[in-house]
Every structure is written in C-alpha cells, then in structure tokens.
Amino acid sequence: MRRLILLFLLILPTSLPAQDHGDRIRDVVDHHILPGFEALADTTAALAQQAEADCTAADPLRQAYTTAFDAWMGVSHLRFGPTEVQDRAFALAFWPDPRGATPKSLGNLIRAEDQAVASPDSFATVSIAARGFYALEFLLYDPTFETMGTPTYRCALIRAISRDIAATSADILTDWRDHYAGLMLSPHPDSLYHAQDEVLRELFKAVTTGLQVTSENRLGRPLGTFDKPRPKRAELRRSGRSLHQVILSLTATRDMALRLAGPDTALNARLTATFDDTLAKATALDDPIFAGVSDPLLRFRIEILQQSIDHLREVLLSDLGPTLGVSAGFNAMDGD
Amino acid sequence: MATRRGFIAGLIAAGLVPKRSWADAGSPSYLAAARQPDGLFSLIGLDSYGAEAFRVPLPGRGHAAAAHPTRPEAVAFARRPGTFALVIDCATGQLKARLDSAEGHHFYGHGAFSRDGSLLFTSENAYETATGMIGIWDVTAGYRRIGAFKSHGIGPHDIRLMPGAETLAVANGGIETHPDSGRAKLNLPTMRPNLSFLSFTGEVLDQVEPDPALHLNSIRHLALRGDGTVGFAMQWQGDTSMAPPLLGLRRPDGTVQYLQAPDAPHRAMERYAGSVSFCADGTLLGITSPRGGQVQVFQAETGDYAGSYWADDVCGLSDGPAGFMTTSGTGDVDAVAITTREWRVRHTDGFDNHLVRITPTL
C-alpha cells in the first residue's frame, strides 16, 4: 500500500501548465476580486448618501450599513496591495480592539466636539480606531453612543465616518482597476510578481489567512477558555452580526478557494464538501452573538465550528496548496 | 584502608565533588527543540558534527532554550503562550526544576543567563495589560523567581546578554496577544516594535525604533557579536506585496543599518526571517527563511549581500565549523559556508525554530 502511494506521488505533475495557472488567476481577479471591490465601492457610496439624507440611527441607515458591511466581508480577506496602502484596511476595519480604543476615541471626539469631522481631509487624520465600520457600529447600535453629546455633532460624526468609508473603498477600487489587477494578471521578471506561481501563492494565502482570522479572532476571542468565556468579546455583538460575519467569511473564502481549485474536479468536489459542511454547522448554530460560549452545552457547538474551520484550513494546506505549488513545512507555515 | 567509596565520601564531606560540566552531557555544542517521528517532542543536544549528544523528552512543542554558561543545564521553553519552562540536567536527562510563570504572565519562549550563570532572565507577557515583562530568576536558589521589570514594549521575544556588560538586549516584537485568543494578533494597526537595551534593574539604556512607515515590522530575534554589534531579524505583518528589510544591524556606536538581498532573493524570503546569527569569527551575519527555504548571508562590516544557501524548511541557525550551522523542519543539520554545504547529517526528527549555541558567554 505504501509503495502504491509512493508511486502515485511520483507520477503527480509537479507543476501545472502555464495556461491553467493563468486561467485560475484571471478567474479570481475577474470574478472574485474586482466584483467584490466594485460592490464595496457601490454600497459604501450608498451608505454615505443615506447618512447624508438621514443621519439618525434608524432602519434606513442601519440597512445601508448592513449592506455595505456585507460587501466588505466579501473582500476583507484580500489583505495585500491596494487595501494595505496607507493602512486602508485598518481604516475600514479596526478590529480586534482589546483595549477598547474605538469607544475611547469616539468618546473623545464627541466630548471635544472635534471639528475634524468638518472635512474628509481632516477626518482622515483622526485616530484610526475612530474610523470605519466598527466605529460606526457604536454610533448606530450602542445605547450609550446613541445619546452621547449633541444630536448635531453625532450626526456630523456619522456622516464623516460614512464618507470616509466610501472614499477609502473608492480608492481601493481605483488602485485595483488601474494597476493592481494588471500586476496579478501579467507577472513579469521586472514586475512586482515575477511569475504566476507567486501570484497563486498570494491568492492562496489570502484564503488560509482569512480563515485563520475567523477561527482565532471571530470565534477564539469570545470562546476564551472554558473557565473564562468572553461573550462580550464577540465581534459586532451590538449589531448582532457575530455569527453572520463567520458565515460571510466562509462564503467569500469558499468562492475564492473553488476558483483556485479550477478545473481539478476531484479537488473541487472535496473542497466544496468541506466548506459546505462547515457552513452547515455555522448556519445551524442559531446563536447570532455567540452568547452560548458561557453555556457548556452550547459552547461545545461553537467549539465544533471552530475546529471545523481549522480542519478546513488544513485541507486547503494539504490539498489545494500543493496543486498551486505552495509547500507547507513545519517551520514555514507555523513559525514564531 | 582507603576505599574508593570512602575517598569519594570524604570528597563530598569536604565539598570537593568535581562540578559537572557540559562534557558530562556528551559535550553538545548546540540545543534544538524537535518533533520526533512519533509525534512527541524533545530537546536534543547536537555535537559540532551534527550528531545527537543527548535527548530529553518535552511535554509539548518547544521553541528555544537557554544554556547555562558553565553547568550542563538548559532551560527549555514551551512555544508561546507557554506558562512553564523546564530546567533540564543535560548530563542525566533529569528534570532539575520547573519554572512557572507568575500569575497573569506567560513566557514567549526565550531566556538569557547572566554571565556568571546566577540569574536567568525570561521574556514574558503580562497579558491582562499587554505589558511586556522580563522575569528574573535566582538560579543559585533553584530557579526561584525574585522579580520582574518592564521590557519597554509589547511582546518581548528574544533576549540576550550584551558582551562585557550587565545589559540585556530585548526584541520587543510589538504584537499584542492574549492567551484567551491563542496566537491571534490583537493590535496590528497600532503595533510599534523596538529593540531595547536594559540594565539588570530594568532601566532603558538605549532603544531602537524602526521608522513609523515600518511599524508593522516585528523585531523578533537577535544575534550578538563580541564587540557589542547586534543583529536583529524581523517579521513583516503588513502588505504581502511589500518587501521591507528583514535584518538590521545596530553597531556599538548606536548607528543602525538595514540589510537586504537583491530583489529576487529578498522577495523569496516572503517577509519573514526565522533566526539570525553571526558566524564564528563575526565577519558574516546570516538569516534563515523557512518560507523561502534559504539562508541569506551578509558581510557584517559593509552590510553587503554575500549569497544564499538553499535548504527546505530551514529555520535554526548558529555559527558552525564551516561558518554556519543550520537545522530544518525536515531533519537536516547542515554545515554551511555562505552558499555551499560542507556536510549534512540527516535526522528523523523535525527541528523546530531555533538552534541554540552552547558557548562560554561573550
């Protein structure tokens, strides 16, 4: 049996034909990355417009916020290139926030009636913790912030954050369209990506890192330890998005992983089954803010979901990685 | 009649028992944490020919170790966020003591002895406040904890004793973690690593902070040369399409120089340096890239790139007979001279991150 496996390993192709590599990259860029950032730019523009029209923390604005945040979750795993210029991704999504910098910074702005809200340029200079979707959640869903300071200032702040989110998202899209998509589609020895396998490695890492963040932060933070669960650390619990975020993260990485698996039907089927099994566990949870982490029985099901995501990541590392020419060593994948 | 037993008993009574030395542990030159083929973990002593001198089991995955300057004793640290470290008698394989981190602290996996071996310093996280700490242990009192001081940064990782001084060099990696969230990084937007030089009482004698634009470059591992030059290896936490320097040199006059290979081999590091070391005569400085499967070597004086040596999953690095000695996750111990290998000893164990030189302290 062992000899058979060895034989099988020996006849596996070591790399894919260039045509195939190029097709996978084009599929991810054209059908995953660009549409994702277009949706983010569109929905965040709509959010800014809605805030302009009616800045009260009520349904229309909350709906626009939800739609825009969902769009961010479609691309939040793509942490390279345009999202990393000038800390743009952090400016959209400052989380986790173990020291409570976001409520602190927002409180400071409101108490001082800081006039940085007056213009986009000046707002871009406030603490990064007071910018982005996570800051806006406090203003739209937290009772303390819904009444802090004057309605006029709160309104100006909500509008400033929404405008800033839209501007950052538009900048990311512009960079992707104008040059970064081209860099990924046409690797060249004199360019940022020298060859297609480097591009594939970048894309593959985005998938595995995205899942790691979901396991360690989105689930690991509220789970804490058995003796000390931390339900208040659940991501976006004020807006009830904690579990929703996990589902969106799985959905986005699933789409990207399957495009990377490309025409390999056996691999595609295996990845589909593993992702769908994990997604089924998530949707069956019926615990939107992971309140169950403090209950031994309910906690067990959240831990199972976390293990399922870790398993999913291992399957990607062992099955998809080698197909794309990404090796996984003891130290290489897990250093310190 | 003077029997042998009586003679030895007399010696013991007179307090004249010859002290054990590293020779009693098979004269290992290096220590490395490893994963055995059976999945269990151990600390392995390697001689200067890359052969196993001893092996002691560890309860879990190890990271680095600190070798006592004279006695055949090593402190083996668990991989972070561990809460205990084991003092192992490398001559007998016996556990001599166990260090438990203070309440609310965990270890980061590195430690350094004072020159006379009477004190041990450990890098720690006071995790409720995310304060980097250095723990102080009295070795002569059986590794009793006697205090701690601030590391003056978040996430202290490697720690070394500066040559000829009672000064510690500490790599404050800058990344906040909390054991509740495993190894999740909690403060990337605001992280600020530094290299701090601290007295034994915790005063800051000097500090190197990278350019704010490189605040996502976590300073993690250190190498020291006899004249006080410090090499520091970094791990980039930011944009994966960027290729910032991964190696710095801080010279005794306080000047800092960043070193990197030409674009292609530099990018092949994939933004991560695993270990850093000078060669034996101090003229060369190397860093390992387990992701890129290479060791990159630089001229210590000029900072010029000297070449790369390629080996799968290579991470452990120390000085060695050919210039450098490396260990890899695939079990290879290689004697490396810049770009070529003089010999290789293959083990069935996978070697973990670091190769620690047992050497008289500088």
Short mmCIF file of all heavy atoms in Angstrom, two decimals, chain A residues 80-81 84 90 94 96 98-99 180 192 194 201-202 205 216-217 220-221 224-225 230 233 329-332 334-336, chain B residues 35 61 79-80 128 130 176 180-181 183-184 186 189 220-221 235 239-241 263 267 270 272 290 313 329 351-353:
data_model
loop_
_atom_site.label_atom_id
_atom_site.label_comp_id
_atom_site.label_asym_id
_atom_site.label_seq_id
_atom_site.Cartn_x
_atom_site.Cartn_y
_atom_site.Cartn_z
N PHE A 80 -3.77 42.47 0.72
CA PHE A 80 -2.49 42.75 0.06
C PHE A 80 -2.75 43.84 -0.97
O PHE A 80 -3.88 44.05 -1.40
CB PHE A 80 -1.91 41.49 -0.60
CG PHE A 80 -2.86 40.81 -1.55
CD1 PHE A 80 -2.93 41.19 -2.88
CD2 PHE A 80 -3.70 39.81 -1.10
CE1 PHE A 80 -3.81 40.58 -3.75
CE2 PHE A 80 -4.60 39.19 -1.97
CZ PHE A 80 -4.66 39.58 -3.30
N GLY A 81 -1.69 44.55 -1.32
CA GLY A 81 -1.80 45.58 -2.36
C GLY A 81 -2.66 46.74 -1.93
O GLY A 81 -2.45 47.33 -0.87
N GLU A 84 -3.73 47.72 1.60
CA GLU A 84 -2.70 47.95 2.62
C GLU A 84 -2.00 49.29 2.45
O GLU A 84 -1.18 49.67 3.27
CB GLU A 84 -1.68 46.81 2.60
CG GLU A 84 -2.32 45.43 2.74
CD GLU A 84 -3.32 45.35 3.88
OE1 GLU A 84 -2.93 45.52 5.04
OE2 GLU A 84 -4.52 45.12 3.59
N PHE A 90 -7.18 48.80 7.73
CA PHE A 90 -7.36 49.10 9.15
C PHE A 90 -8.32 50.27 9.32
O PHE A 90 -9.10 50.33 10.28
CB PHE A 90 -6.03 49.43 9.82
CG PHE A 90 -5.10 48.25 9.96
CD1 PHE A 90 -3.75 48.37 9.65
CD2 PHE A 90 -5.56 47.04 10.43
CE1 PHE A 90 -2.88 47.29 9.79
CE2 PHE A 90 -4.70 45.95 10.58
CZ PHE A 90 -3.36 46.08 10.26
N PHE A 94 -11.16 48.36 12.03
CA PHE A 94 -10.26 48.35 13.18
C PHE A 94 -10.80 47.33 14.19
O PHE A 94 -11.64 47.64 15.04
CB PHE A 94 -10.18 49.74 13.80
CG PHE A 94 -9.15 49.86 14.90
CD1 PHE A 94 -7.87 50.31 14.62
CD2 PHE A 94 -9.46 49.52 16.21
CE1 PHE A 94 -6.92 50.41 15.63
CE2 PHE A 94 -8.51 49.62 17.23
CZ PHE A 94 -7.24 50.07 16.93
N PRO A 96 -9.52 43.11 15.88
CA PRO A 96 -9.99 43.28 17.26
C PRO A 96 -9.43 44.53 17.94
O PRO A 96 -8.44 45.08 17.49
CB PRO A 96 -9.47 42.02 17.96
CG PRO A 96 -8.32 41.57 17.13
CD PRO A 96 -8.61 41.96 15.73
N PRO A 98 -8.66 45.07 21.63
CA PRO A 98 -8.63 44.56 23.01
C PRO A 98 -8.60 45.65 24.06
O PRO A 98 -8.99 45.43 25.20
CB PRO A 98 -7.36 43.70 23.05
CG PRO A 98 -6.51 44.21 21.94
CD PRO A 98 -7.46 44.66 20.88
N ARG A 99 -8.11 46.84 23.71
CA ARG A 99 -8.00 47.92 24.71
C ARG A 99 -9.16 48.90 24.60
O ARG A 99 -9.11 49.96 25.22
CB ARG A 99 -6.69 48.69 24.54
CG ARG A 99 -5.47 47.84 24.46
CD ARG A 99 -4.81 47.60 25.81
NE ARG A 99 -4.38 46.22 25.86
CZ ARG A 99 -4.72 45.37 26.83
NH1 ARG A 99 -5.46 45.75 27.83
NH2 ARG A 99 -4.32 44.13 26.79
N TYR A 180 -3.37 47.26 -10.02
CA TYR A 180 -3.03 46.03 -9.31
C TYR A 180 -3.53 44.77 -10.01
O TYR A 180 -2.86 43.73 -10.00
CB TYR A 180 -3.49 46.08 -7.85
CG TYR A 180 -2.54 45.33 -6.95
CD1 TYR A 180 -1.41 45.96 -6.43
CD2 TYR A 180 -2.73 43.98 -6.68
CE1 TYR A 180 -0.51 45.27 -5.64
CE2 TYR A 180 -1.82 43.28 -5.89
CZ TYR A 180 -0.72 43.93 -5.37
OH TYR A 180 0.18 43.25 -4.61
N LEU A 192 6.20 43.43 -10.00
CA LEU A 192 6.02 43.08 -8.59
C LEU A 192 5.94 41.57 -8.41
O LEU A 192 6.59 41.00 -7.54
CB LEU A 192 4.74 43.75 -8.07
CG LEU A 192 4.35 43.41 -6.64
CD1 LEU A 192 5.41 43.88 -5.65
CD2 LEU A 192 3.01 44.04 -6.30
N HIS A 194 6.85 38.13 -10.08
CA HIS A 194 7.78 37.69 -11.13
C HIS A 194 7.18 36.60 -12.00
O HIS A 194 7.52 36.48 -13.16
CB HIS A 194 9.06 37.17 -10.48
CG HIS A 194 9.82 38.25 -9.78
ND1 HIS A 194 10.87 38.03 -8.95
CD2 HIS A 194 9.64 39.60 -9.80
CE1 HIS A 194 11.33 39.17 -8.48
NE2 HIS A 194 10.60 40.13 -8.97
N ARG A 201 0.38 31.98 -5.05
CA ARG A 201 0.74 31.87 -3.64
C ARG A 201 0.07 32.99 -2.83
O ARG A 201 -0.45 32.78 -1.75
CB ARG A 201 2.26 31.93 -3.50
CG ARG A 201 2.76 31.21 -2.30
CD ARG A 201 4.15 30.67 -2.39
NE ARG A 201 5.11 31.57 -3.01
CZ ARG A 201 6.05 31.14 -3.84
NH1 ARG A 201 6.14 29.87 -4.14
NH2 ARG A 201 6.91 31.99 -4.36
N GLU A 202 0.10 34.19 -3.40
CA GLU A 202 -0.53 35.34 -2.74
C GLU A 202 -2.03 35.09 -2.54
O GLU A 202 -2.58 35.32 -1.47
CB GLU A 202 -0.33 36.59 -3.61
CG GLU A 202 -0.87 37.86 -3.01
CD GLU A 202 0.16 38.54 -2.14
OE1 GLU A 202 0.20 38.20 -0.95
OE2 GLU A 202 0.92 39.38 -2.65
N LYS A 205 -2.72 32.31 0.03
CA LYS A 205 -2.51 32.77 1.41
C LYS A 205 -3.67 33.63 1.89
O LYS A 205 -3.99 33.63 3.08
CB LYS A 205 -1.20 33.54 1.52
CG LYS A 205 -0.04 32.60 1.70
CD LYS A 205 1.20 33.32 2.17
CE LYS A 205 2.33 32.30 2.38
NZ LYS A 205 3.64 32.91 2.33
N GLU A 216 -9.42 32.26 14.84
CA GLU A 216 -8.73 32.78 16.03
C GLU A 216 -9.44 33.98 16.64
O GLU A 216 -9.53 34.09 17.86
CB GLU A 216 -7.30 33.19 15.67
CG GLU A 216 -6.39 32.01 15.38
CD GLU A 216 -4.96 32.43 15.10
OE1 GLU A 216 -4.70 33.64 14.90
OE2 GLU A 216 -4.10 31.54 15.06
N ASN A 217 -9.90 34.89 15.79
CA ASN A 217 -10.48 36.13 16.32
C ASN A 217 -11.99 36.05 16.47
O ASN A 217 -12.52 36.28 17.55
CB ASN A 217 -10.11 37.31 15.42
CG ASN A 217 -8.64 37.70 15.57
OD1 ASN A 217 -8.00 37.34 16.54
ND2 ASN A 217 -8.13 38.42 14.61
N GLY A 220 -12.39 32.52 18.41
CA GLY A 220 -11.47 32.37 19.53
C GLY A 220 -11.63 33.45 20.60
O GLY A 220 -11.55 33.16 21.79
N ARG A 221 -11.86 34.68 20.16
CA ARG A 221 -12.00 35.77 21.13
C ARG A 221 -13.17 35.54 22.08
O ARG A 221 -12.99 35.58 23.29
CB ARG A 221 -12.14 37.12 20.43
CG ARG A 221 -10.92 37.56 19.67
CD ARG A 221 -9.87 38.23 20.52
NE ARG A 221 -10.27 39.52 21.04
CZ ARG A 221 -9.71 40.08 22.11
NH1 ARG A 221 -8.77 39.42 22.78
NH2 ARG A 221 -10.08 41.26 22.53
N GLY A 224 -12.78 32.35 24.48
CA GLY A 224 -11.86 32.46 25.62
C GLY A 224 -11.45 31.06 26.06
O GLY A 224 -11.10 30.22 25.24
N THR A 225 -11.50 30.83 27.36
CA THR A 225 -11.24 29.49 27.86
C THR A 225 -12.52 28.96 28.49
O THR A 225 -13.45 29.72 28.75
CB THR A 225 -10.13 29.51 28.93
OG1 THR A 225 -10.57 30.35 30.01
CG2 THR A 225 -8.84 30.06 28.37
N ARG A 230 -15.69 34.60 27.11
CA ARG A 230 -15.70 36.05 26.96
C ARG A 230 -16.78 36.49 25.97
O ARG A 230 -16.46 37.00 24.89
CB ARG A 230 -14.35 36.53 26.42
CG ARG A 230 -13.15 36.12 27.25
CD ARG A 230 -13.02 36.99 28.46
NE ARG A 230 -11.70 36.87 29.06
CZ ARG A 230 -11.20 37.76 29.89
NH1 ARG A 230 -11.90 38.83 30.21
NH2 ARG A 230 -10.00 37.58 30.40
N ARG A 233 -16.69 39.75 24.08
CA ARG A 233 -15.69 39.98 23.04
C ARG A 233 -16.19 39.55 21.66
O ARG A 233 -15.44 39.64 20.68
CB ARG A 233 -14.42 39.21 23.36
CG ARG A 233 -13.65 39.83 24.49
CD ARG A 233 -12.33 39.12 24.65
NE ARG A 233 -11.56 39.68 25.73
CZ ARG A 233 -10.55 39.07 26.31
NH1 ARG A 233 -10.21 37.87 25.90
NH2 ARG A 233 -9.87 39.65 27.27
N GLY A 329 5.81 23.54 5.14
CA GLY A 329 6.81 22.95 6.03
C GLY A 329 6.45 23.19 7.48
O GLY A 329 5.63 24.05 7.80
N PHE A 330 7.10 22.44 8.35
CA PHE A 330 6.92 22.51 9.79
C PHE A 330 7.15 23.95 10.27
O PHE A 330 6.34 24.55 10.97
CB PHE A 330 7.97 21.57 10.39
CG PHE A 330 7.96 21.41 11.87
CD1 PHE A 330 6.79 21.47 12.61
CD2 PHE A 330 9.16 21.16 12.53
CE1 PHE A 330 6.83 21.28 13.98
CE2 PHE A 330 9.19 20.97 13.90
CZ PHE A 330 8.02 21.04 14.61
N ASN A 331 8.25 24.55 9.85
CA ASN A 331 8.58 25.92 10.25
C ASN A 331 7.96 26.96 9.32
O ASN A 331 7.60 28.05 9.75
CB ASN A 331 10.10 26.10 10.27
CG ASN A 331 10.76 25.29 11.37
OD1 ASN A 331 10.34 25.34 12.52
ND2 ASN A 331 11.77 24.52 11.02
N ALA A 332 7.84 26.60 8.04
CA ALA A 332 7.42 27.59 7.06
C ALA A 332 5.98 28.05 7.30
O ALA A 332 5.66 29.23 7.16
CB ALA A 332 7.55 27.01 5.65
N ASP A 334 4.29 27.68 10.15
CA ASP A 334 3.94 27.82 11.55
C ASP A 334 5.13 28.31 12.34
O ASP A 334 5.56 27.67 13.28
CB ASP A 334 3.47 26.43 12.04
CG ASP A 334 2.68 26.55 13.33
OD1 ASP A 334 2.27 27.66 13.66
OD2 ASP A 334 2.49 25.52 13.99
N GLY A 335 5.67 29.43 11.96
CA GLY A 335 6.86 29.93 12.63
C GLY A 335 6.54 30.77 13.85
O GLY A 335 5.41 30.81 14.31
N ASP A 336 7.53 31.42 14.40
CA ASP A 336 7.32 32.26 15.58
C ASP A 336 8.43 33.31 15.63
O ASP A 336 9.43 33.21 14.98
CB ASP A 336 7.34 31.40 16.83
CG ASP A 336 6.72 32.15 18.01
OD1 ASP A 336 6.32 33.32 17.84
OD2 ASP A 336 6.63 31.58 19.09
N ARG B 35 10.55 17.81 16.88
CA ARG B 35 9.39 16.92 16.87
C ARG B 35 9.86 15.56 16.36
O ARG B 35 10.43 15.47 15.27
CB ARG B 35 8.28 17.46 15.97
CG ARG B 35 7.07 16.52 15.94
CD ARG B 35 5.88 17.13 15.24
NE ARG B 35 6.22 17.52 13.86
CZ ARG B 35 5.42 18.24 13.08
NH1 ARG B 35 4.25 18.65 13.52
NH2 ARG B 35 5.78 18.55 11.85
N ARG B 61 5.30 21.07 22.34
CA ARG B 61 6.20 21.65 21.36
C ARG B 61 7.08 22.73 21.99
O ARG B 61 6.58 23.63 22.64
CB ARG B 61 5.39 22.23 20.20
CG ARG B 61 6.26 22.73 19.06
CD ARG B 61 5.45 23.06 17.83
NE ARG B 61 6.33 23.70 16.85
CZ ARG B 61 5.92 24.26 15.72
NH1 ARG B 61 4.63 24.26 15.43
NH2 ARG B 61 6.76 24.83 14.90
N ARG B 79 6.67 26.55 23.39
CA ARG B 79 6.27 27.51 22.38
C ARG B 79 5.23 28.42 23.02
O ARG B 79 4.41 27.98 23.81
CB ARG B 79 5.65 26.69 21.26
CG ARG B 79 5.17 27.41 20.07
CD ARG B 79 4.75 26.30 19.11
NE ARG B 79 3.94 26.80 18.03
CZ ARG B 79 4.44 27.44 16.98
NH1 ARG B 79 5.74 27.67 16.92
NH2 ARG B 79 3.67 27.85 16.00
N ARG B 80 5.27 29.74 22.67
CA ARG B 80 4.34 30.65 23.29
C ARG B 80 2.91 30.28 22.93
O ARG B 80 2.69 29.78 21.84
CB ARG B 80 4.66 32.10 22.90
CG ARG B 80 4.28 32.44 21.45
CD ARG B 80 4.64 33.85 21.08
NE ARG B 80 4.56 34.02 19.66
CZ ARG B 80 3.45 34.33 19.00
NH1 ARG B 80 2.32 34.49 19.66
NH2 ARG B 80 3.44 34.45 17.70
N GLU B 128 -3.06 40.70 30.83
CA GLU B 128 -4.27 41.49 31.04
C GLU B 128 -4.05 42.96 30.67
O GLU B 128 -4.96 43.66 30.26
CB GLU B 128 -4.80 41.37 32.47
CG GLU B 128 -5.32 39.98 32.84
CD GLU B 128 -6.39 39.42 31.89
OE1 GLU B 128 -6.94 40.17 31.06
OE2 GLU B 128 -6.65 38.20 31.95
N ALA B 130 -1.32 43.67 28.61
CA ALA B 130 -0.45 43.59 27.44
C ALA B 130 0.85 44.34 27.67
O ALA B 130 1.32 45.08 26.82
CB ALA B 130 -1.16 44.11 26.19
N GLU B 176 0.53 42.45 20.24
CA GLU B 176 -0.23 42.08 21.43
C GLU B 176 -0.98 40.78 21.17
O GLU B 176 -1.66 40.62 20.16
CB GLU B 176 -1.23 43.19 21.77
CG GLU B 176 -2.11 42.82 22.95
CD GLU B 176 -3.06 43.94 23.36
OE1 GLU B 176 -2.93 45.08 22.85
OE2 GLU B 176 -3.94 43.67 24.19
N ASP B 180 -6.22 33.90 25.90
CA ASP B 180 -7.62 33.57 25.58
C ASP B 180 -7.84 33.42 24.08
O ASP B 180 -8.77 32.75 23.66
CB ASP B 180 -8.55 34.71 26.05
CG ASP B 180 -8.89 34.56 27.51
OD1 ASP B 180 -8.33 33.67 28.15
OD2 ASP B 180 -9.71 35.36 27.98
N SER B 181 -7.05 34.15 23.30
CA SER B 181 -7.24 34.12 21.85
C SER B 181 -6.07 33.44 21.17
O SER B 181 -5.77 33.73 20.01
CB SER B 181 -7.39 35.54 21.31
OG SER B 181 -8.13 36.34 22.17
N ARG B 183 -2.89 32.52 19.51
CA ARG B 183 -1.80 33.29 18.93
C ARG B 183 -2.33 34.44 18.07
O ARG B 183 -1.58 35.05 17.31
CB ARG B 183 -0.91 32.36 18.12
CG ARG B 183 -0.18 31.33 19.02
CD ARG B 183 0.34 30.14 18.25
NE ARG B 183 1.39 30.49 17.31
CZ ARG B 183 2.67 30.55 17.63
NH1 ARG B 183 3.08 30.31 18.84
NH2 ARG B 183 3.56 30.85 16.71
N ALA B 184 -3.64 34.73 18.18
CA ALA B 184 -4.22 35.80 17.37
C ALA B 184 -3.56 37.13 17.68
O ALA B 184 -3.31 37.46 18.84
CB ALA B 184 -5.72 35.89 17.61
N LEU B 186 -3.57 41.03 18.10
CA LEU B 186 -4.69 41.87 18.51
C LEU B 186 -4.48 43.36 18.25
O LEU B 186 -5.39 44.14 18.45
CB LEU B 186 -4.97 41.64 20.01
CG LEU B 186 -5.25 40.18 20.39
CD1 LEU B 186 -5.42 40.06 21.89
CD2 LEU B 186 -6.48 39.68 19.67
N PRO B 189 -2.94 47.38 13.88
CA PRO B 189 -2.97 48.77 13.41
C PRO B 189 -2.08 49.70 14.24
O PRO B 189 -1.63 50.73 13.75
CB PRO B 189 -4.44 49.18 13.57
CG PRO B 189 -5.20 47.92 13.75
CD PRO B 189 -4.25 46.89 14.27
N ARG B 220 12.06 40.33 16.21
CA ARG B 220 11.81 39.10 16.97
C ARG B 220 13.07 38.40 17.50
O ARG B 220 13.07 37.86 18.60
CB ARG B 220 11.05 38.10 16.11
CG ARG B 220 9.68 38.58 15.75
CD ARG B 220 8.80 38.59 16.98
NE ARG B 220 7.97 37.42 16.97
CZ ARG B 220 6.83 37.33 16.28
NH1 ARG B 220 6.41 38.36 15.59
NH2 ARG B 220 6.13 36.23 16.30
N HIS B 221 14.13 38.34 16.68
CA HIS B 221 15.27 37.53 17.10
C HIS B 221 16.58 38.31 16.99
O HIS B 221 16.69 39.23 16.19
CB HIS B 221 15.31 36.23 16.29
CG HIS B 221 14.14 35.35 16.60
ND1 HIS B 221 13.11 35.16 15.72
CD2 HIS B 221 13.81 34.67 17.73
CE1 HIS B 221 12.19 34.38 16.28
NE2 HIS B 221 12.59 34.07 17.50
N GLN B 235 9.95 40.22 11.19
CA GLN B 235 8.87 39.52 10.52
C GLN B 235 7.80 40.55 10.16
O GLN B 235 7.24 41.19 11.04
CB GLN B 235 8.29 38.44 11.45
CG GLN B 235 9.34 37.43 11.88
CD GLN B 235 8.83 36.42 12.88
OE1 GLN B 235 7.65 36.45 13.25
NE2 GLN B 235 9.70 35.53 13.33
N ASP B 239 1.39 44.52 4.33
CA ASP B 239 1.09 44.21 2.94
C ASP B 239 2.01 43.11 2.39
O ASP B 239 3.23 43.25 2.39
CB ASP B 239 1.28 45.50 2.12
CG ASP B 239 0.86 45.31 0.68
OD1 ASP B 239 0.47 44.20 0.30
OD2 ASP B 239 0.93 46.31 -0.06
N THR B 240 1.39 42.06 1.90
CA THR B 240 2.19 40.93 1.41
C THR B 240 2.86 41.26 0.07
O THR B 240 3.70 40.50 -0.39
CB THR B 240 1.33 39.67 1.24
OG1 THR B 240 0.18 40.01 0.46
CG2 THR B 240 0.88 39.14 2.58
N SER B 241 2.48 42.37 -0.56
CA SER B 241 3.16 42.70 -1.80
C SER B 241 4.37 43.59 -1.54
O SER B 241 5.12 43.91 -2.44
CB SER B 241 2.21 43.39 -2.78
OG SER B 241 1.80 44.64 -2.26
N ASP B 263 16.59 42.13 -5.09
CA ASP B 263 15.14 41.98 -5.09
C ASP B 263 14.65 40.53 -5.14
O ASP B 263 13.84 40.13 -4.30
CB ASP B 263 14.53 42.78 -6.23
CG ASP B 263 13.01 42.83 -6.12
OD1 ASP B 263 12.54 43.33 -5.09
OD2 ASP B 263 12.32 42.35 -7.03
N ARG B 267 12.74 38.95 -2.02
CA ARG B 267 11.30 38.65 -2.06
C ARG B 267 11.04 37.18 -1.73
O ARG B 267 10.00 36.84 -1.18
CB ARG B 267 10.72 38.98 -3.43
CG ARG B 267 10.51 40.47 -3.60
CD ARG B 267 9.65 40.82 -4.80
NE ARG B 267 9.47 42.26 -4.86
CZ ARG B 267 8.53 42.92 -4.18
NH1 ARG B 267 7.68 42.27 -3.42
NH2 ARG B 267 8.45 44.22 -4.25
N GLU B 270 9.81 35.90 1.61
CA GLU B 270 8.39 36.04 1.94
C GLU B 270 8.16 36.77 3.26
O GLU B 270 7.38 36.34 4.12
CB GLU B 270 7.68 34.68 1.93
CG GLU B 270 7.71 34.07 0.53
CD GLU B 270 6.70 32.96 0.35
OE1 GLU B 270 5.68 32.98 1.07
OE2 GLU B 270 6.95 32.09 -0.48
N TYR B 272 9.65 37.20 6.03
CA TYR B 272 9.78 36.52 7.31
C TYR B 272 11.20 36.00 7.48
O TYR B 272 11.68 35.22 6.65
CB TYR B 272 8.79 35.35 7.33
CG TYR B 272 8.79 34.51 8.58
CD1 TYR B 272 7.84 34.71 9.57
CD2 TYR B 272 9.72 33.49 8.76
CE1 TYR B 272 7.83 33.93 10.72
CE2 TYR B 272 9.72 32.71 9.91
CZ TYR B 272 8.76 32.94 10.88
OH TYR B 272 8.74 32.16 12.01
N PRO B 290 12.46 30.02 6.46
CA PRO B 290 11.80 28.73 6.25
C PRO B 290 10.79 28.78 5.11
O PRO B 290 10.61 27.81 4.39
CB PRO B 290 11.12 28.45 7.60
CG PRO B 290 11.08 29.76 8.31
CD PRO B 290 12.22 30.58 7.79
N ASP B 313 12.66 24.28 4.31
CA ASP B 313 12.15 24.49 5.66
C ASP B 313 13.25 24.76 6.68
O ASP B 313 13.16 24.36 7.84
CB ASP B 313 11.30 23.28 6.09
CG ASP B 313 10.25 23.67 7.14
OD1 ASP B 313 9.79 24.82 7.11
OD2 ASP B 313 9.91 22.82 7.99
N GLY B 329 13.15 21.82 9.45
CA GLY B 329 11.97 21.05 9.82
C GLY B 329 11.96 19.67 9.18
O GLY B 329 11.22 18.78 9.59
N PHE B 351 13.36 19.59 13.17
CA PHE B 351 13.87 20.59 14.12
C PHE B 351 13.00 21.84 14.11
O PHE B 351 12.66 22.36 13.06
CB PHE B 351 15.32 20.94 13.81
CG PHE B 351 16.26 19.80 14.07
CD1 PHE B 351 16.80 19.07 13.02
CD2 PHE B 351 16.56 19.43 15.37
CE1 PHE B 351 17.64 18.00 13.26
CE2 PHE B 351 17.40 18.36 15.63
CZ PHE B 351 17.94 17.63 14.57
N ASP B 352 12.68 22.31 15.30
CA ASP B 352 11.84 23.49 15.44
C ASP B 352 12.68 24.75 15.31
O ASP B 352 13.89 24.67 15.14
CB ASP B 352 11.10 23.43 16.80
CG ASP B 352 9.68 23.91 16.65
OD1 ASP B 352 9.48 24.96 16.01
OD2 ASP B 352 8.78 23.25 17.17
N ASN B 353 12.05 25.89 15.46
CA ASN B 353 12.60 27.19 15.06
C ASN B 353 14.09 27.46 15.26
O ASN B 353 14.73 27.99 14.37
CB ASN B 353 11.83 28.30 15.76
CG ASN B 353 10.42 28.45 15.25
OD1 ASN B 353 10.02 29.53 14.83
ND2 ASN B 353 9.61 27.39 15.23
#
